[in-house]
Amino acid sequence: MKNSELKEYVNSFPDDAPVSIICANPRKRKLYKLENVIWVTDQGQPLILIDIGKESDMDAEMISACEEDEKSADDLEGQMQIEDFPEVMP
């Protein structure tokens, strides 16, 4: 994402709208506690460091939402998953 794209996205919301950060692994149905968000200001580009903590399972409602999103994504012609590129897998 480019800085201009981030600005355009954020500017589509009212100035007083809250910002939410969710750390998750939807495929594994896991959530991660958000410990801290740090804005790194000395790198010459926008940089956000997110410190995550304890892992937990998603609840039934979140799992259902993930399944719906995956079903929709699987129906897109030409859709790729990161598993399609083993060379970049952790």
Side-chain angles (χ1 to χ4, degrees):
M1 175 180 277
K2 294 181 182 176
N3 190 35
S4 59
E5 295 167 324
L6 177 60
K7 287 179 181 180
E8 181 180 343
Y9 174 71
V10 171
N11 285 333
S12 70
F13 298 93
D15 286 344
D16 61 348
V19 175
S20 298
I21 298 173
I22 300 172
C23 297
N25 184 335
R27 292 277 182 197
K28 292 187 177 182
R29 311 297 190 244
K30 298 292 183 182
L31 295 173
Y32 301 89
K33 181 179 178 189
L34 180 64
E35 297 288 346
N36 199 3
V37 177
I38 302 165
W39 297 89
V40 181
T41 59
D42 60 355
Q43 295 300 304
Q45 66 187 41
L47 180 65
I48 303 167
L49 173 66
I50 300 173
D51 180 11
I52 59 172
K54 185 178 176 185
E55 176 183 272
S56 63
D57 294 325
M58 291 183 176
D59 63 26
E61 184 179 343
M62 294 179 101
I63 290 171
S64 178
C66 288
E67 290 169 347
E68 279 298 313
D69 289 344
E70 289 165 3
K71 183 178 172 186
S72 297
D74 289 342
D75 291 339
L76 296 175
E77 186 176 335
Q79 180 74 20
M80 291 187 207
Q81 300 295 331
I82 191 165
E83 292 88 357
D84 296 332
F85 302 93
E87 65 274 13
V88 298
M89 293 292 291

